[in-house]
Amino acid sequence: MINVTVADLLIDRISRDGIDSVFSLTGGGIMYLIDAIARSHDVKLIPTHHEEFAGVAADGYARAGKSYGVAIGTAGPGAAHLFTAIAAAWQDSSPVLFIAGQVKTADASTIQNLPLRQNGTFEFDTTKAFAPITKHIAVLRSSESAADEIETALRIMRQGRPGPVVIEIPLDVQGALVHPQHREPTVAGYSPAPPSDISAAQDSLALALAKAHRPLVLLGIGAIRAGVDRQIVEALGKVGLPYITTQFAHGAGRRGDLLFLGSPGIKANRSANLAIMNCDTLIAIGTSLHQQVIGWDAGQFKRSTSHKIWFELDSDTLAARGGLVNESIQLSSQDAGAALIAELEKINQPPERWQDWRRITSDWRSKYLLYFPAHAEVEGRMCLYRVITALDQRADQFSAAVTDAGLVWYTVAQHYFAAEDSYYISSGSFGAMGMALPMAIGAAAATGRPVIAITGDGSAMMCLSELATLRAQNLPVLFVVNNNDGYVSIRSTHDRYFDGRKIGTDSTNGVFIPEFKSVAATFGLPYRAAHSQLELERALDELLAQGLVGPALLEVFTYSDQAVEPVVTSRRGLDGKFSSSSLDDMDPPIEQTNG
């Protein structure tokens, strides 16, 4: 049997799971791993210019239909730079394998049990730094244990609630020889619940559906990760049961589906908020019931009139939020989805008692699914919502839509609807700026088809280096930069709560953002600008007429004081404390809207 290195063993192992791209910035502390990729016929390296964005790209790769993503950081600062990407994957339950280089075993403080901050040159202890934000950390101490450690990490990554794992590999272990040990891939990571648990869940659902007059289903990202969202939506369609999705799971809904009411939340679709607060039966699958979904004041959601059945696998999440619902059932999204589908299939035709609810929700959908905030015309600028709607009309040209944090996170979720067989990708809970571009790089590498990434001018500044990666790989990514002169969300906060005192938000108070036309030229990217709706349509026609075959940058100039509406407001009292409205009490009030 031919001897291979531990690095070869690892790269061969991930290739057997269908992983064909690894993201990294090369370095001396990972030189054997990089060489193993160079010699691989199945796995290629996509070099980024910062390890954080290598990790974010791997996350985007996983979210665009791959079993998981893989990112590598060299010893010391390279590994430390992975922190933000690991934290984001942890909070969003994204399966990503992070590989950290390390100094050779003789110099590694952890392996040698030395109570030092640093012993070897560029040494950094990942085990202490990353332990709170990973499902598992392994240090490969020898070639003999490498295969077992790798298998364990891959299994834990996907088992139960998915999440990131870290494998730290000292330099000498990377290059150590080992006999290859071929094993069956472990990417499934799913063990069905006992039949009794599923049966009990079906009983709860059957009783609730039998009593319901105003039923509603809420789908979260867990349903998408489990691969049951489409089957659930199909089953809901057959019985005429309305549904909503979290903004993180916005891709589970389709704009053309008359049962889909959008996404609830603080800045979300009013139709979804009305539904979640006025239904009499709520079935939630794959969501943690985060504040962004149920509102700042969880007590108002708890006190709403519905009988709430919540399926959640994670025991800590159940313990923290179980008091908000009537029934909290510890079951995976796979099993919960199967239980719901089984009960829906027993319903031969839409019950008569649901018809009034269908009419009400249909009315809400037609009036309130989309909303365009009022704004006086400004020469050279336009409404961001009009921009997103124009992009939505071309959604079928993209395999994935990726949104950044800030203003676009809300507006895209409100007005963009992913096409069939495409992905909707965003940061669910971390809200780190600058993630759209590297995530789009990973998504384009995963799908091999055009991807649209939508960001703000401030967020774009945080990841400009990755335009070089985009150009070098010639990936078909339409990078849409929303130019609204800096950080609008923070500006609005200063206006609303601090008498308009602004600092660090735009060019008037210390922030410089270059012209993106010059940025595009520097990186050799095709560039278009749109200051009006007509210019936008022309730019999109020019860029997409023949199909996107490489990267392009589209800059859209929108109102510098763009309102994100409708919105659940928080009001600051004279005592400095904030109070929040109910989800269905959004500003502007219904009587003032264009519905």
Side-chain angles (χ1 to χ4, degrees):
M1 186 176 293
I2 300 174
N3 284 326
V4 297
T5 66
V6 168
D8 293 323
L9 182 74
L10 173 62
I11 301 306
D12 175 69
R13 178 63 187 83
I14 65 173
S15 74
R16 290 187 286 119
D17 285 338
I19 307 303
D20 59 8
S21 299
V22 171
F23 304 87
S24 180
L25 174 62
T26 188
I30 51 175
M31 59 185 183
Y32 290 104
L33 288 163
I34 297 299
D35 183 62
I37 298 173
R39 290 182 286 103
S40 174
H41 297 294
D42 303 309
V43 180
K44 66 177 179 293
L45 176 71
I46 296 184
T48 61
H49 290 268
H50 195 287
E51 287 88 357
E52 175 188 343
F53 300 127
V56 174
D59 196 344
Y61 180 89
R63 298 187 197 206
K66 292 293 187 177
S67 300
Y68 53 90
V70 180
I72 305 176
T74 192
H81 285 164
L82 292 172
F83 187 93
T84 300
I86 297 174
W90 167 252
Q91 295 194 185
D92 286 349
S93 303
S94 194
V96 183
L97 171 62
F98 291 92
I99 309 297
Q102 186 56 283
V103 299
K104 62 182 185 294
T105 54
D107 297 333
S109 298
T110 300
I111 294 176
Q112 299 302 325
N113 294 317
L114 299 175
L116 302 175
R117 293 186 180 184
Q118 184 187 76
N119 185 52
T121 303
F122 305 135
E123 181 186 6
F124 170 71
D125 188 351
T126 65
T127 61
K128 293 179 180 178
F130 298 153
I133 54 171
T134 56
K135 292 188 69 179
H136 175 74
I137 296 180
V139 178
L140 301 193
R141 299 169 182 263
S142 69
S143 59
E144 288 78 10
S145 63
D148 287 334
E149 293 281 9
I150 292 168
E151 292 299 325
T152 298
L154 291 176
R155 174 178 52 79
I156 292 174
M157 177 183 64
R158 296 279 297 180
Q159 195 172 49
R161 184 175 180 177
V165 295
V166 175
I167 299 178
E168 179 185 292
I169 314 180
L171 189 60
D172 54 327
V173 175
Q174 293 173 34
L177 295 178
V178 61
H179 287 286
Q181 300 180 36
H182 294 286
R183 303 184 180 197
E184 288 300 313
T186 60
V187 296
Y190 163 59
S191 300
S196 58
D197 291 348
I198 299 176
S199 178
Q202 287 186 228
D203 291 342
S204 292
L205 290 169
L207 181 61
L209 291 172
K211 294 180 177 179
H213 286 77
R214 302 188 306 277
L216 184 71
V217 170
L218 169 62
L219 299 178
I221 191 65
I224 294 179
R225 296 263 171 83
V228 296
D229 57 306
R230 292 182 185 177
Q231 297 96 310
I232 292 175
V233 169
E234 182 180 352
L236 294 173
K238 292 179 179 178
V239 299
L241 201 163
Y243 69 100
I244 57 179
T245 71
T246 66
Q247 288 177 310
F248 193 24
H250 196 61
R254 294 290 177 264
R255 183 174 182 174
D257 187 347
L258 297 181
L259 292 171
F260 178 49
L261 304 176
S263 298
I266 306 301
K267 301 174 182 178
N269 302 110
R270 190 191 298 268
S271 49
N273 278 7
L274 287 168
I276 197 173
M277 296 303 288
N278 290 280
C279 64
D280 68 359
T281 301
L282 178 67
I283 299 168
I285 298 175
T287 171
S288 64
L289 299 180
H290 191 271
Q291 289 177 328
Q292 283 288 341
V293 177
I294 65 172
W296 297 126
D297 186 351
Q300 294 178 358
F301 169 77
K302 177 181 179 179
R303 291 189 296 273
S304 62
T305 58
S306 63
H307 180 85
K308 304 170 184 66
I309 302 177
W310 175 40
F311 295 96
E312 169 60 46
L313 183 62
D314 185 73
S315 57
D316 291 334
T317 306
L318 281 172
R321 298 196 175 108
L324 300 177
V325 299
N326 302 93
E327 298 181 63
S328 56
I329 301 173
Q330 188 168 18
L331 209 61
S332 70
S333 294
Q334 290 99 324
D335 293 328
L340 176 59
I341 292 169
E343 288 308 308
L344 293 175
E345 288 177 343
K346 295 177 183 178
I347 301 174
N348 296 322
Q349 60 184 6
E352 181 65 27
R353 65 182 183 280
W354 294 358
Q355 296 310 307
D356 285 344
W357 177 239
R358 277 290 309 278
R359 284 190 286 270
I360 292 170
T361 56
S362 178
D363 183 59
W364 286 340
R365 187 182 192 279
S366 64
K367 290 181 178 179
Y368 308 127
L369 178 65
L370 301 183
Y371 176 76
F372 296 93
H375 197 287
E377 293 291 327
V378 177
E379 186 176 357
R381 292 191 177 270
M382 55 185 158
C383 174
L384 176 58
Y385 284 94
R386 301 289 177 184
V387 172
I388 302 304
T389 298
L391 299 176
D392 171 65
Q393 292 170 352
R394 293 165 171 81
D396 60 352
Q397 298 191 46
F398 301 103
S399 66
V402 187
T403 175
D404 222 315
L407 204 66
V408 298
W409 193 89
Y410 295 105
T411 56
V412 175
Q414 287 172 311
H415 273 234
Y416 187 97
F417 300 84
E420 195 74 32
D421 299 322
S422 66
Y423 301 93
Y424 184 90
I425 302 172
S426 72
S427 174
S429 60
F430 208 48
M433 299 172 68
M435 296 180 74
L437 177 56
M439 273 196 173
I441 288 171
T447 66
R449 296 187 289 129
V451 169
I452 185 170
I454 308 168
T455 189
D457 49 0
S459 290
M461 291 300 296
M462 297 191 175
C463 60
L464 283 185
S465 61
E466 300 318 310
L467 288 174
T469 303
L470 192 62
R471 170 62 192 278
Q473 300 298 317
N474 196 38
L475 293 168
V477 173
L478 178 59
F479 189 47
V480 181
V481 178
N482 176 38
N483 184 322
N484 51 25
D485 191 23
Y487 304 105
V488 172
S489 295
I490 304 302
R491 271 206 304 268
S492 65
T493 299
H494 291 175
D495 284 334
R496 178 173 294 179
Y497 302 121
F498 302 103
D499 301 322
R501 292 184 299 274
K502 299 181 181 68
I503 183 170
T505 64
D506 53 63
S507 57
T508 67
N509 49 71
V511 174
F512 170 72
I513 297 177
E515 294 183 353
F516 282 94
K517 182 177 182 179
S518 300
V519 171
T522 298
F523 288 98
L525 298 176
Y527 170 86
R528 297 291 187 279
H531 296 81
S532 68
Q533 205 69 27
L534 180 59
E535 286 186 358
L536 175 61
E537 296 293 340
R538 288 175 176 172
L540 290 171
D541 287 343
E542 291 173 3
L543 291 169
L544 302 176
Q546 303 302 318
L548 197 67
V549 295
L553 195 156
L554 171 61
E555 185 175 13
V556 295
F557 292 81
T558 64
Y559 301 137
S560 59
D561 57 347
Q562 174 75 61
V564 179
E565 295 176 342
V567 58
V568 177
T569 57
S570 295
R571 295 174 177 85
R572 188 182 187 190
L574 296 177
D575 59 358
K577 296 181 179 180
F578 288 88
S579 61
S580 298
S581 302
S582 171
L583 276 183
D584 55 353
D585 180 16
M586 305 183 81
D587 282 344
I590 287 178
E591 59 268 21
Q592 297 179 18
T593 69
N594 57 2

